[in-house]
Amino acid sequence: MITIGNRIFTKVDRAEPQIVEMFRGLPSSNINDEMNRLYCMHDYIRLMNPGKAKQLLGTAITVKAPLGDNLFFHQALDMAQPGDIIVVDGASGCNRSLAGEIMMRFAQKKGLAGIVVDGCLRDLDGIELLDMPIYAKGITPQGPWKFGPGEVNVPVACGGQVVFPGDILVGDKDGVVVIRRQDAAAVAEVAIKKKAAEDKTFELMESDLSAYSAKHLQTTAQRMDGKQVATFDSYAQMYSL
């Protein structure tokens, strides 16, 4: 019997906790910039509880689910450990929700670091009260089936990104970025430097606006160098408006 599409893999190679913690407090934008701006999930994966949620930071447990069915999502919820993030490839379907407040509360009680669903959830009023970060494509009251099939801990597609079990996810109000476990230490190191450089930029802007303005003018001129741009006095005058 072929088991493809109906499998559970129990072993996840997670990054060391100290590596994961290197991303604490780093914006998703800084991290993604240092990976050549290629590893953010699409904008439709949005934070459902922005008023309460902490930073999304943890390691991925993945679920591949058929449209509108959450049986294997429940299986992953039983398997997940504190610090894990359940990432669900729900085929981007929104005719049925894949989870609601009960599953989200259980995940938070277990100490999970977050939930990311390429599909819909329900019970938004309850979800908005939780501080565990919860991302999804949308909300619908229509409930899920529980028939299967599905898979746990296989590579999945979520928000336009491939997510492997054990990948590190970082998320904030901007969105979610995916970091391969094998690349995490190097990415964190350069992202930390990126944030430090931006912090210095803000300090200069606040302490000496003239100096910052001069620096910005110089940077813009360098970027414009070589561009064939025509300059005119007035748009209205050119077109006799």
Side-chain angles (χ1 to χ4, degrees):
M1 176 181 176
I2 294 177
T3 60
I4 297 171
N6 204 27
R7 303 175 296 185
I8 297 169
F9 295 90
T10 59
K11 182 181 178 182
V12 177
D13 292 323
R14 297 172 175 85
E16 294 296 323
Q18 62 267 30
I19 299 296
V20 177
E21 282 299 312
M22 291 176 71
F23 292 96
R24 182 76 62 189
L26 294 181
S28 61
S29 56
N30 288 167
I31 298 165
N32 193 51
D33 280 356
E34 297 307 315
M35 294 191 291
N36 285 298
R37 303 179 178 181
L38 289 175
Y39 285 90
C40 272
M41 291 186 182
H42 290 326
D43 63 310
Y44 66 77
I45 301 294
R46 301 309 302 166
L47 183 61
M48 296 289 106
N49 54 337
K52 291 279 190 176
K54 302 175 289 188
Q55 180 190 28
L56 179 78
L57 176 60
T59 50
I61 296 291
T62 63
V63 180
K64 192 169 184 65
L67 284 168
D69 191 290
N70 74 354
L71 178 61
F72 280 71
F73 193 167
H74 280 280
Q75 176 66 42
L77 190 52
D78 288 334
M79 294 169 57
Q81 300 177 10
D84 284 341
I85 298 168
I86 297 180
V87 181
V88 183
D89 175 358
S92 228
C94 276
N95 287 333
R96 294 183 179 276
S97 63
L98 291 177
E101 183 179 1
I102 292 175
M103 291 176 69
M104 297 300 100
R105 282 187 178 273
F106 183 37
Q108 179 167 293
K109 286 292 187 181
K110 286 193 66 173
L112 271 60
I115 303 288
V116 183
V117 178
D118 197 335
C120 276
L121 300 174
R122 66 176 178 177
D123 304 330
L124 184 59
D125 285 345
I127 285 173
E128 288 179 333
L129 299 177
L130 303 178
D131 63 8
M132 178 187 69
I134 299 166
Y135 291 79
K137 183 179 181 181
I139 297 291
T140 177
Q142 182 74 285
W145 304 114
K146 294 176 173 59
F147 300 129
E151 296 194 316
V152 177
N153 287 329
V154 297
V156 298
C158 187
Q161 293 295 333
V162 177
V163 181
F164 292 88
D167 280 353
I168 296 173
L169 271 63
V170 180
D172 46 32
K173 290 181 180 179
D174 284 355
V176 179
V177 62
V178 181
I179 307 108
R180 299 284 176 260
R181 174 179 57 85
Q182 299 88 339
D183 299 328
V187 171
E189 184 177 344
V190 293
I192 289 168
K193 293 178 181 178
K194 172 78 171 180
K195 185 178 185 304
E198 287 195 355
D199 288 343
K200 287 185 178 180
T201 295
F202 294 137
E203 290 173 7
L204 178 61
M205 191 184 300
E206 294 299 323
S207 64
D208 192 340
L209 183 58
S210 295
Y212 176 77
S213 297
K215 180 180 178 182
H216 189 276
L217 185 67
Q218 181 181 18
T219 300
T220 302
Q222 291 172 346
R223 290 171 174 168
M224 293 292 289
D225 187 40
K227 307 289 191 301
Q228 295 182 351
V229 179
T231 303
F232 303 93
D233 287 335
S234 168
Y235 183 87
Q237 184 178 13
M238 171 175 284
Y239 290 99
S240 302
L241 298 177

